[in-house]
Amino acid sequence: MKLTDLHIRKLKPGPRTARYSDGHGLFLEITPQGSKLWKMAYRFDGKQKTLSFGKYPFVTLLRAREKCAEAKAQLYDGLDPREKEKAEARVKVARTEHTFAKIAAGLQEKRKKEGISKATLQKRDWFIRFVN
């Protein structure tokens, strides 16, 4: 039986984690603490895997179904949706954490610990500010 928004809102947590299926591998998992999480069960390369889509109500029933359909399309193309998510997360980290300013600041700290002269450090600070 397909889930409805009204049915989901009425679901209450129990003593154990409960799963309510929506079909096509999509299900809503309710933890004893009361969290309602969208997940999708699938098989890839002969292994059972689970993909998470987010918390209800932040991820609506309609959006969870859309994400499930996108993941199914990736599976049909021979791609593991979880690996694609991990790759996108690595790219996001690389864009935010490995910026020129952060790398330059780390290098300046290293140079200060090495005992480079104050004038040289000031000149390098000026170069870094100029480039940024």
Side-chain angles (χ1 to χ4, degrees):
M1 178 174 87
K2 293 245 182 204
L3 294 172
T4 63
D5 197 48
L6 181 64
H7 183 240
I8 293 168
R9 279 188 268 135
K10 287 183 178 180
L11 294 173
K12 301 292 180 205
R16 296 185 193 155
T17 300
R19 291 182 172 184
Y20 298 91
S21 178
D22 188 56
H24 303 287
L26 179 65
F27 61 91
L28 184 70
E29 185 174 87
I30 302 178
T31 64
Q33 294 79 22
S35 294
K36 296 178 181 179
L37 307 167
W38 289 111
K39 294 187 178 186
M40 182 183 116
Y42 66 98
R43 290 184 91 55
F44 189 78
D45 284 339
K47 295 179 184 174
Q48 181 71 29
K49 296 185 177 190
T50 306
L51 185 63
S52 297
F53 297 134
K55 276 181 118 175
Y56 177 85
F58 303 111
V59 177
T60 63
L61 175 60
L62 181 61
R63 183 67 185 131
R65 287 177 178 164
E66 289 171 356
K67 287 184 174 190
C68 181
E70 291 168 9
K72 288 284 184 180
Q74 291 172 6
L75 284 169
Y76 184 75
D77 292 339
L79 303 171
D80 186 355
R82 195 165 64 175
E83 291 302 318
K84 185 179 179 209
E85 252 184 27
K86 286 180 183 179
E88 288 172 355
R90 284 191 297 265
V91 168
K92 185 177 179 182
V93 166
R95 285 185 184 154
T96 58
E97 290 187 11
H98 302 302
T99 63
F100 177 79
K102 288 185 179 182
I103 293 170
L107 184 61
Q108 277 296 84
E109 282 299 314
K110 181 181 175 203
R111 297 290 184 230
K112 285 179 187 176
K113 289 177 184 174
E114 290 174 352
I116 291 184
S117 73
K118 190 174 181 179
T120 304
L121 289 173
Q122 287 175 342
K123 184 191 270 185
R124 288 186 178 178
D125 282 336
W126 179 82
F127 281 135
I128 291 169
R129 282 194 309 271
F130 184 74
V131 173
N132 282 334

